[in-house]
Amino acid sequence: MVYGGYRYLDLDYTPSEDDFVVLAWVKGKVKLETLAEALAAESSVGTWTEVKTMNEHVFKNYRARIFKLIKVSENAGFVFIAYPIEHFDIKNLAQFWASVLGNVFGLKELEELYYLDIKIPKKFQKQFDGPLFGLEGVRKYVGTDKTGRPHTGTIVKPKVGLTPKEWADVAYKAWANGLDLVKDDENLVDQDFCKWKERFDYAFDALDKAEAETGEKKLYLTNITDISIERMVERLDYIKERGHKQVMLDVYILGFPALDYILKITKKYKLIVHAHRAGYAAWHRGNFGINFGILTKFYRLLGVDQLHIGTGVGKMEGGTLLIRRFHELAEKQGGVEKLYLGSLDFEFAEHIKPLMPVASGGLDPGRVEALVVVHGLNVTIQAGGGVHGHPRGTEAGARALRTAVEIVARGESIKEYIDKYPELKEAIEKWGYLDPAKYKRILEFEKENKDVLDRMATEGGIGVIKEVIWKI
Ligand code: 3PG
C-alpha cells in the first residue's frame, strides 16, 4: 500500500529515543493501511501524488514511519507513527503542531481521526522550562508543604454581573472562612459592570485583610485573558507593581504562541500561573480531535503552575481512569506509565516540575471524599455553586468545604462528622454524599486488569475507550 507514490509503512522500525511517537485512532472510507499512509504522508513529507522534487535524502531523513497498526476492522484501527526529530523546527511548537496535528484533520478519506497520545522526546522538551513554581512551589507559598492537604478554592458566582465591590466582598467571605484560593471565572475579565483594575484593587485589599485575620497565605487568581497582548501585559505590569503574586489565564483560548509569550513575563515577574482550560473539549470530545492528555503535557512543558484537569466526580466529562491519567500527567515527577491501549509510556525531562492539578466543575463538600480517591491529596478542590449555593451562603459554604477537606486529608470519612459540623450537614442535605467505594473499586480493577482493558480497547476500538473505559 502506498500513498502519493511512497510507502510510509515500516513495521520493522523501532522508534529511537529522539523520535516523536503519536498514537491515533483512524477510521475512513478506504483500508486502514491506506488511511495510515495518508496520515503519515500528509503530516511529514508527502502529498496526494508522486512529485519529481522528492529525493532519497528527504525521504530517508524526514518522513514519518508507521511502525505499528492495530486493526479493529478493514477500515478502522489504531495507528502508531514515529517522526524523526530532524523533521521539526526544534524551538517552535507551532511548527510541530502544524505538521503532526494540522492538515491531516481535513483529509476527505477520513471519517474519524482522534489523537490519543504523543511521546515528546527529551531533546525537544529541552526548549521548555516547565513550571516556575509547580506543585511544590504553590504548596510552599500557601504553607501546605508540610501537611500535604488538598487546597480549597472557589470561583465567584454568578460568573459575570457582580460589581467589583460585590465581587471582592464574596471573595473576602470565602478566604476568611477557610478557602485558600478565589478566582475569576473564565469569562470575566474587564466588562463594563466589573472593570478589571477596580476589581483587582478591591480584591487585593480583601485578600490582605483575610490573610491578616486568618494568618494563612491566600491565592487570588485574576483573569487577564485578552485578544490584545498589550492589554494582558499592562495587567501583568499592574499586578507586579502592586506586589501581587498570582494570575489566571484561559490557556486553550489564548493558543500556544500567546501563552508562551505571556508565560515568559509571568516567570520574569515570579507569578504563580493558574490555567483554566475552557474550550479544550472542542478538541477532546469529538470524532476528530486531540485528547486533553496531550494538551496537559504541553501546558506542563510550557510552564503553568496549576491546571484544570476535570474531576471524575462532578459536572464535566471524564470518568475515573481518564481523569486519573490527566492527574498523573500533571503531578508525577518523571515517568508516567501507559495504562492500556489508548495511552503511551511517557517521561518528562528531569527539569520539568510537576504542577498542581485543579479539580473544578460541579463539586461540593459531599463529593470531596470520592474526589480524593481519584486524585489523591495533591489537588486543588474548587467549588463555585458548591460554595455559594450553600443554604446559608458563601461563609457557611466555604467552611463546609474546608472542613470536608481537612477530614478527608486525615484519612477519615466525612460521614462520621456530619453531625459535628452543621455547615457540612446542610451541604450534604442539599447535594448529597458521594460514596467513594465505587471509585476505589474502579482504580483497583484497573490496577489488576490492565490486560482486560487492553483487550477491550483492542477489540472494540475507540468506541469502547470513549464510551466505556473513559466513562467508568
Ligand atoms: C470553573 O471555572 O471550573 C467553573 O466555573 C466551576 O463552577 P462550579 O463549581 O459552579 O461548577
Side-chain angles (χ1 to χ4, degrees), residues 154-157 159 183-187 248 274 276 308 315-316 358-364 382-388:
T154 189
I155 313 95
V156 170
K157 302 279 173 177
K159 275 170 177 274
K183 65 180 273 294
D184 285 333
D185 226 324
E186 72 285 349
N187 55 353
M248 176 186 138
H274 181 99
H276 196 297
H308 285 222
K315 77 179 180 190
M316 305 297 272
V358 177
S360 189
L363 296 180
D364 58 64
Q382 285 179 182
V387 165
H388 313 292

